[in-house]
């Protein structure tokens, strides 16, 4: 744009004024020489009136102005001056040899367009910026190498223990002593084709796990179900145990696990865990089981986490399907049937429930810890039981739909100054104050919202077949907005890794605290990271949602974001002797290390990254549902649907 006194306005004088009122000259060069002579004479005459000592600043500036006019006259093209407006229209017709114009010298520098954020760049240039498939194959290979490095540390220093302490190079039992990392990792190894890991893990399970079940003491019902039982059942299926299904896209090799043995161990474990259901006076299971005694009891305070009590159905329903014994499914589904009868706040529920009374305890509502997977399984259990979606289990999708409306109405806010979308909390219920706090755990929600919108097929296919309602489209947009926020929780820190918990600046809230340390981030003033919350446990929720959103939207930015997160894990959490470690502070460099490799890093985080960088026909989302520990289980179809699947495979 042109500015004050510049080229788009009228010139300060016309050609007629400089010609002294005479006619036009035919020869342009002669005109130039005449004007130069006239201007020089005027300058000489005026200058001679003054002595050098009386030459003032004003005179000097006048001299500069006249000199500039002379320069322009001498270098003017034969076409004469072009007004600013006309110059804009015909400027493209001039060659590079054209002389400078007044417009060029006097106008203000052009205003540069604002820099687009990463998501807008990918949206506008998705084809140009999309990495070739060979690059994604390379990146997928790097994730597999990371998995094998993590496993090598565990195998060398902690084999048979629940978790590895990679800095101390020893194992620790924090989940009941069932070798949780072994079982959590097995299906990841099968999916990646890490045959040596498959052999080592399956051999350990066959030789040791059944014995441990009869010897070990107290375990948590929820953690043991999602990690150990879920891992066994997924490995059973991917090893060819469920012979009627072949939708995974994963080849069954000779080095696979023994599916019969995996099923045997699964049933033994599930029979012991069922005591938590059958020993409770209500439909809400007790929180803990003593395996060797086959007894169950409540937590010391008598309460269960709502998410833990309600995140059990995928595993037990599938076990009933493959074993032919309905008892597992019946006990687990009683929980959700009971939840259906309880009062809610626009579909939202408190994070504690009492198994003795079957009623909620307290009013704290959040989608982070103790609340998260309740909402996840409302949808996923409905998705898994395909033949009952429109009949006996329709209520689950209705509960999920109501809950998501409640989330949007009561929990979703935008930050200042940059309007990041996030999900906050109601610590004292709907009548209490709103807290702008969001756990990293909440980052499961974008993936769940996307799955709920399209039911696992691509957005493009859903639109082409007119399968998306206005609410589906709204939820899908919310999913993308929340995923952006989750990613910025990574990119706002010095390490590029997210904290366990973040707070957000919102209008009218005085919440304050330190930032993430990356002052180049656009969102450094939107996100607050408090000292007690700045640790990182190698969690999977964000990359889980990136995986689901990439599969559904096919937008390459989710892959690119996932690659940046993986590189940060590699840079700051990799331990040379084997394994990866949690961090104490993601906002400082170098980050202090915590000496713990959670089982879900192998079972979830690396699995989702590997699948994110791979082909979409591997474990397709309209054929598989992932439990909350990322163990894929097949969607349970009717006999007729299974028959069609087999026929399609044969053809």
């Amino acid at each position: 744009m042109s500015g004050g006194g510049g080229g788009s306005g009228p010139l300060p004088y016309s050609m007629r004024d400089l010609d002294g009122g005479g006619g036009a000259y035919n020869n342009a060069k002669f005109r130039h020489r005449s004007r130069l002579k006239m201007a020089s004479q005027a300058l000489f005459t005026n200058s001679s009136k003054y002595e050098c000592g009386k030459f003032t600043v004003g005179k000097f500036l006048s001299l500069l102005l006249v000199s500039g006019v002379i320069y322009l006259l001498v270098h003017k093209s034969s076409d004469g001056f072009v007004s600013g407006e006309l110059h804009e229209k015909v400027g493209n017709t001039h060659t590079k040899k054209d002389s400078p114009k007044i417009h060029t010298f006097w106008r203000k520098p052009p205003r540069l367009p604002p820099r687009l954020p990463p998501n807008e760049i990918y949206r506008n240039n998705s084809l140009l910026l999309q990495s070739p498939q060979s690059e994604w194959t390379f990146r997928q290979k790097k994730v597999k190498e990371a998995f094998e490095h993590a496993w090598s540390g565990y195998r060398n220093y902690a084999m048979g223990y629940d978790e590895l302490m990679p800095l101390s190079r020893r194992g620790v039992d924090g989940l009941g002593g069932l070798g949780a990392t072994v079982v959590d990792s097995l299906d990841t190894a099968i999916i990646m084709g890490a045959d040596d890991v498959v052999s080592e893990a399956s051999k350990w399970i066959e030789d040791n796990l059944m014995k441990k079940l009869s010897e070990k003491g107290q375990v948590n019902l929820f953690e043991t179900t999602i990690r150990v039982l879920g891992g066994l059942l997924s490995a059973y299926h991917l090893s060819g145990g469920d012979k009627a299904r072949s939708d995974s896209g994963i080849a069954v090799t000779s080095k696979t696990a023994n599916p019969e043995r995996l099923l045997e161990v699964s049933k033994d474990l599930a029979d012991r865990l069922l005591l938590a259901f059958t020993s409770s006076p209500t439909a809400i299971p007790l929180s803990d089981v003593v395996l060797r005694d086959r007894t169950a009891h409540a937590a010391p305070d008598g309460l269960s986490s709502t998410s833990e009590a309600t995140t059990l159905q995928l595993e037990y329903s599938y076990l009933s399907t493959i074993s032919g014994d309905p008892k597992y499914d019946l006990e687990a589904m009683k929980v959700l049937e009971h939840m259906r009868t309880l009062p809610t706040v626009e579909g939202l529920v408190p994070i504690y429930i009492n198994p003795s009374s079957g009623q909620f305890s307290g009013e704290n509502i959040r989608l982070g810890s103790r609340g998260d997977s309740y909402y996840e399984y409302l949808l996923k259990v409905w998705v898994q039981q395909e033949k009952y979606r429109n009949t006996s289990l329709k209520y689950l999708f209705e509960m999920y739909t109501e809950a998501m409306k409640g989330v949007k109405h009561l929990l979703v806010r935008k930050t200042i100054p940059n309007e990041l979308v996030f999900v906050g909390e109601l610590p004292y219920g709907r009548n209490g104050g709103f807290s702008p706090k969001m756990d990293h755990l909440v980052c499961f929600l974008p993936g769940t919202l996307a799955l709920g919108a399209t039911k696992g097929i691509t957005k493009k296919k859903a639109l082409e077949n007119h399968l998306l309602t206005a609410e589906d489209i709204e939820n899908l947009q919310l999913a993308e907005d929340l995923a952006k926020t989750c990613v910025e929780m990574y990119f706002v820190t010095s390490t590029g890794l997210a904290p366990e918990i973040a707070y957000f600046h919102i209008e009218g809230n005085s919440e304050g605290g330190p930032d993430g340390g990356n002052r180049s981030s656009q969102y450094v003033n939107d996100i607050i990271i408090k000292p007690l919350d700045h640790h990182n446990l190698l969690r999977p929720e964000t990359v889980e949602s990136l995986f689901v959103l990439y599969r559904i939207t096919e937008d390459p930015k989710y892959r690119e974001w996932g690659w940046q997160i993986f590189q940060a894990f590699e840079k700051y959490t990799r331990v040379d002797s084997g394994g990866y470690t949690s961090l104490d502070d993601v906002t400082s460099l170098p980050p202090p290390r915590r000496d713990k490799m959670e089982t879900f890093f192998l079972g979830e985080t690396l699995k989702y990254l590997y699948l994110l960088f791979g082909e979409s026909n591997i474990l397709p989302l309209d054929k598989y549902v992932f439990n909350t520990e990322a163990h894929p289980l097949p969607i349970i179809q009717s006999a007729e649907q299974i028959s069609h699947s087999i026929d399609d495979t044969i053809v």
Side-chain angles (χ1 to χ4, degrees):
M1 295 176 63
S2 300
S8 63
L11 294 173
Y13 38 73
S14 70
M15 293 298 301
R16 189 174 184 82
D17 293 330
L18 288 177
D19 286 339
Y25 291 92
N26 293 325
N27 189 300
K29 293 182 179 178
F30 179 75
R31 289 203 311 265
H32 294 169
R33 285 196 298 269
S34 297
R35 290 166 190 146
L36 176 61
K37 180 178 179 181
M38 292 167 57
S40 299
Q41 289 175 346
L43 176 63
F44 178 80
T45 302
N46 291 335
S47 300
S48 64
K49 296 179 182 179
Y50 301 94
E51 296 178 1
C52 293
K54 297 181 180 179
F55 192 74
T56 66
V57 173
K59 304 297 190 306
F60 176 71
L61 293 176
S62 299
L63 178 61
L64 283 179
L65 176 62
V66 173
S67 300
V69 171
I70 294 171
Y71 176 84
L72 291 171
L73 289 173
V74 173
H75 290 83
K76 183 180 69 64
S77 70
S78 60
D79 294 332
F81 286 174
V82 183
S83 71
E85 182 179 2
L86 185 59
H87 177 80
E88 296 293 338
K89 295 179 180 178
V90 304
N92 290 335
T93 64
H94 295 296
T95 67
K96 294 181 179 179
K97 294 182 180 181
D98 284 348
S99 58
K101 307 294 186 295
I102 291 178
H103 173 86
T104 304
F105 283 100
W106 286 8
R107 68 178 181 177
K108 290 182 178 180
R111 294 175 61 186
L112 297 176
R115 295 181 64 183
L116 291 173
N119 59 322
E120 292 297 329
I121 293 175
Y122 285 117
R123 184 176 298 168
N124 296 331
N125 303 281
S126 58
L127 293 178
L128 293 175
L129 296 180
Q130 188 166 181
S131 299
Q133 185 54 44
S134 59
E135 179 67 17
W136 292 114
T137 301
F138 167 78
R139 293 178 180 183
Q140 192 180 47
K141 181 181 177 183
K142 299 303 290 185
V143 176
K144 180 180 178 181
E145 291 174 358
F147 173 78
E148 291 173 334
H149 180 76
W151 175 261
S152 71
Y154 173 78
R155 179 196 60 218
N156 293 339
Y157 306 116
M159 192 67 176
Y161 287 91
D162 284 332
E163 294 159 316
L164 167 69
M165 299 179 70
L167 304 182
S168 304
R169 301 185 190 182
R170 62 187 179 89
V172 60
D173 282 334
L175 295 165
L178 300 180
T181 292
V182 180
V183 188
D184 228 359
S185 303
L186 179 54
D187 64 350
T188 305
I190 295 172
I191 292 167
M192 292 182 177
D195 291 343
D196 290 343
V197 179
V198 173
S199 296
E200 292 164 357
S202 58
K203 185 178 188 307
W204 185 91
I205 291 171
E206 292 176 21
D207 293 346
N208 298 281
L209 188 51
M210 192 76 87
K211 181 181 179 183
K212 282 183 174 289
L213 293 180
S214 63
E215 295 176 348
K216 289 296 179 179
Q218 180 175 304
V219 298
N220 176 268
L221 170 66
F222 165 74
E223 296 290 358
T224 307
T225 296
I226 66 169
R227 302 191 197 214
V228 182
L229 183 60
L232 291 170
L233 293 173
S234 179
Y236 164 84
H237 172 76
L238 297 176
S239 298
D242 192 354
K243 295 182 174 61
R245 299 298 303 274
S246 56
D247 300 322
S248 70
I250 299 167
V252 178
T253 67
S254 58
K255 289 191 176 182
T256 192
N258 181 341
E260 288 76 17
R261 183 62 171 171
L262 293 175
L263 179 57
E264 181 184 4
V265 179
S266 297
K267 291 169 63 178
D268 189 313
L269 174 59
D271 287 341
R272 298 172 190 270
L273 294 177
L274 278 185
L275 270 296
F277 298 90
T278 59
S279 300
S280 174
T282 69
I284 303 302
L286 303 174
S287 62
D288 297 292
V289 174
V290 180
L291 294 175
R292 62 172 176 262
D293 297 340
R294 293 180 181 261
T295 60
H297 59 84
D301 61 2
L303 301 178
S304 294
S305 298
T306 301
S307 61
E308 293 188 2
T310 58
T311 308
L312 307 162
Q313 292 71 28
L314 294 179
E315 299 82 0
Y316 291 102
S317 293
Y318 182 60
L319 180 56
S320 281
T321 299
I322 60 178
S323 68
D325 192 337
K327 66 182 180 183
Y328 308 108
D329 177 64
L330 289 173
E331 292 296 336
M333 289 305 298
K334 286 179 183 178
V335 182
L336 295 181
E337 291 164 3
H338 176 76
M339 297 295 292
R340 182 184 186 183
T341 69
L342 299 179
T344 69
V345 178
E346 297 188 29
L348 306 178
V349 299
I351 62 172
Y352 289 106
I353 193 166
N354 191 326
S356 296
S357 66
Q359 301 298 310
F360 291 120
S361 179
E363 298 182 277
N364 193 340
I365 292 174
R366 66 181 183 224
L367 268 71
S369 61
R370 303 186 183 279
D372 49 2
S373 51
Y374 161 72
Y375 305 96
E376 178 187 1
Y377 268 42
L378 287 179
L379 174 67
K380 288 186 173 181
V381 174
W382 178 83
V383 168
Q384 182 196 39
Q385 303 283 346
E386 188 171 45
K387 61 181 177 179
Y388 298 119
R389 289 180 187 175
N390 296 317
T391 54
S392 60
L393 295 183
K394 186 178 180 181
Y395 76 92
L396 291 174
F397 190 71
E398 292 171 347
M399 291 172 68
Y400 164 78
T401 301
E402 182 187 10
M404 293 305 102
K405 289 179 179 178
V407 168
K408 289 181 284 188
H409 182 216
L410 299 175
L411 302 182
V412 171
R413 296 285 192 280
K414 288 186 178 181
T415 68
I416 56 172
N418 292 301
E419 298 193 328
L420 284 176
V421 177
F422 72 97
V423 175
E425 301 179 357
L426 297 175
Y428 306 102
R430 75 177 306 161
N431 297 320
F434 175 84
S435 173
K437 165 181 173 285
M438 188 170 93
D439 295 358
H440 184 276
L441 287 166
V442 179
C443 290
F444 85 93
L445 187 58
T448 298
L449 283 165
L451 180 63
T454 74
K455 319 307 182 283
I457 65 175
T458 64
K459 177 183 178 182
K460 178 181 179 182
K461 184 176 180 180
L463 287 170
E464 288 174 348
N465 290 281
H466 308 289
L467 298 176
L468 296 182
T469 65
E471 188 170 4
D472 289 332
I473 294 173
E474 181 180 282
N475 285 349
L476 196 53
Q477 183 59 56
L478 177 59
E480 297 208 60
D481 291 341
L482 288 173
K484 165 71 173 172
T485 301
C486 290
V487 166
E488 293 303 338
M489 286 169 61
Y490 283 75
F491 299 163
V492 79
T493 71
S494 301
T495 59
L497 293 171
E500 180 73 358
I501 297 170
Y503 288 78
F504 297 89
H505 283 289
I506 60 173
E507 195 73 42
N509 189 288
S510 59
E511 191 76 54
D515 56 49
N518 179 11
R519 300 302 170 83
S520 66
S521 168
Q522 176 185 347
Y523 302 99
V524 69
N525 294 319
D526 294 68
I527 299 174
I528 302 163
I529 302 174
K530 298 185 177 182
L532 292 178
D533 306 326
H534 57 204
H535 53 286
N536 180 286
L537 303 181
L538 312 174
R539 285 200 183 276
E541 289 78 22
T542 293
V543 295
E544 169 188 356
S545 285
L546 297 183
F547 158 66
V548 176
L549 279 166
Y550 174 69
R551 286 284 184 93
I552 287 175
T553 68
E554 302 175 289
D555 190 329
K557 73 184 178 188
Y558 297 113
R559 278 181 152 184
E560 296 290 354
W561 288 348
W563 177 244
Q564 291 181 58
I565 291 171
F566 173 73
Q567 288 179 302
F569 277 130
E570 282 289 289
K571 184 173 183 178
Y572 293 111
T573 72
R574 182 184 176 99
V575 178
D576 290 341
S577 59
Y580 291 74
T581 184
S582 302
L583 301 178
D584 267 331
D585 183 3
V586 296
T587 68
S588 62
L589 291 176
R593 295 179 162 191
R594 179 167 277 206
D595 197 16
K596 182 77 169 293
M597 184 175 74
E598 301 283 349
T599 77
F600 50 67
F601 184 65
L602 293 90
E604 300 188 69
T605 307
L606 294 178
K607 181 186 296 165
Y608 281 129
L609 284 166
Y610 182 85
L611 292 171
L612 172 62
F613 302 152
E615 298 290 343
S616 293
N617 63 344
I618 304 299
L619 300 170
L621 294 179
D622 59 339
K623 302 293 183 184
Y624 283 85
V625 60
F626 288 75
N627 86 336
T628 199
E629 189 73 9
H631 296 303
L633 299 171
I635 290 175
I636 299 171
Q637 300 174 333
S638 65
E640 181 181 357
Q641 290 169 319
I642 292 174
S643 175
H644 286 317
S645 297
I646 295 173
D647 292 341
D648 292 341
T649 302
I650 294 174
V651 172

